[in-house]
Amino acid sequence: MNTYCKGALNQIKVAVKTIVEMMEKLEENDLQKRPTPNKHSIGELLEHIAIICEADSLISDGASQDKMNKFYSSVTYKSLYEMKEALIKNHRFLEDKFMNFTEVELQEEITSYWGVTYSRYEWLIEIVAHVYHHRGQLHSMLVHCYGIDLKVPLFE
């Protein structure tokens, strides 16, 4: 396996681990909290985070907009438990997928439905950035908007 992929996948693993730790500090009623009107609630953000690895994997395969719309509309996680389990499952799926790509496959360029072209490896880097971005949003919402003292270190 490509050592660069191994490192990128490890960073996703670190992010997933800390997201799970943050989730374990929450109660079900926290999912309804919406710090900014017309923006995602904590539950909606967590639902999005839970599917990033799978959704972005589909995008990295060149999935059409129609296929992505169907995928997004098929996902409904309502509890912290469901979201946590989906996050872990989807992370494992992504890890297994990328660990099995050859060097040639990792360099293959794939174009998204909105026209951006990256190599498969670059799509993996995009997934790292996406997970970290939303982890930061979640952390900020919980700490700054709701005063929840997470005591979760975000970096190793």
Side-chain angles (χ1 to χ4, degrees):
M1 179 186 152
N2 179 303
T3 56
Y4 297 110
C5 275
K6 189 174 181 181
L9 289 165
N10 184 60
Q11 291 305 306
I12 295 171
K13 184 172 156 182
V14 168
V16 166
K17 177 181 168 277
T18 56
I19 292 165
V20 166
E21 288 175 26
M22 284 189 256
M23 292 173 81
E24 289 172 347
K25 310 260 183 187
L26 299 176
E27 303 292 331
E28 291 296 325
N29 64 339
D30 291 323
L31 298 178
Q32 306 308 314
K33 293 178 178 172
R34 185 179 309 274
T36 306
N38 302 318
K39 296 293 182 182
H40 289 308
S41 68
I42 291 171
E44 290 163 344
L45 177 59
L46 283 170
E47 187 175 59
H48 178 71
I49 290 170
I51 66 170
I52 289 172
C53 289
E54 185 176 4
D56 287 7
S57 170
L58 291 169
I59 291 167
S60 77
D61 288 338
S64 68
Q65 185 171 9
D66 185 53
K67 182 174 183 174
M68 293 309 301
N69 288 340
K70 286 177 183 167
F71 170 76
Y72 290 127
S73 66
S74 73
V75 176
T76 54
Y77 304 122
K78 296 302 175 202
S79 70
L80 280 165
Y81 176 80
E82 288 175 355
M83 292 174 202
K84 183 171 85 169
E85 291 301 305
L87 174 63
I88 293 166
K89 176 184 73 83
N90 291 333
H91 169 247
R92 283 190 192 126
F93 163 79
L94 183 75
E95 233 179 13
D96 290 344
K97 177 181 177 174
F98 272 86
M99 285 175 51
N100 288 304
F101 281 136
T102 65
E103 186 68 33
V104 170
E105 290 169 322
L106 287 169
Q107 295 310 316
E108 182 183 349
E109 292 192 339
I110 309 291
T111 301
S112 68
Y113 65 84
W114 64 89
V116 173
T117 301
Y118 293 140
S119 69
R120 276 203 173 94
Y121 177 72
E122 286 176 297
W123 281 114
L124 179 59
I125 298 303
E126 178 67 24
I127 296 167
V128 172
H130 195 181
V131 171
Y132 271 76
H133 164 70
H134 288 303
R135 182 186 70 162
Q137 280 185 318
L138 176 64
H139 186 269
S140 292
M141 287 167 75
L142 297 174
V143 171
H144 301 294
C145 298
Y146 295 105
I148 298 172
D149 187 5
L150 295 167
K151 295 181 182 159
V152 175
L154 298 182
F155 299 95
E156 292 183 314

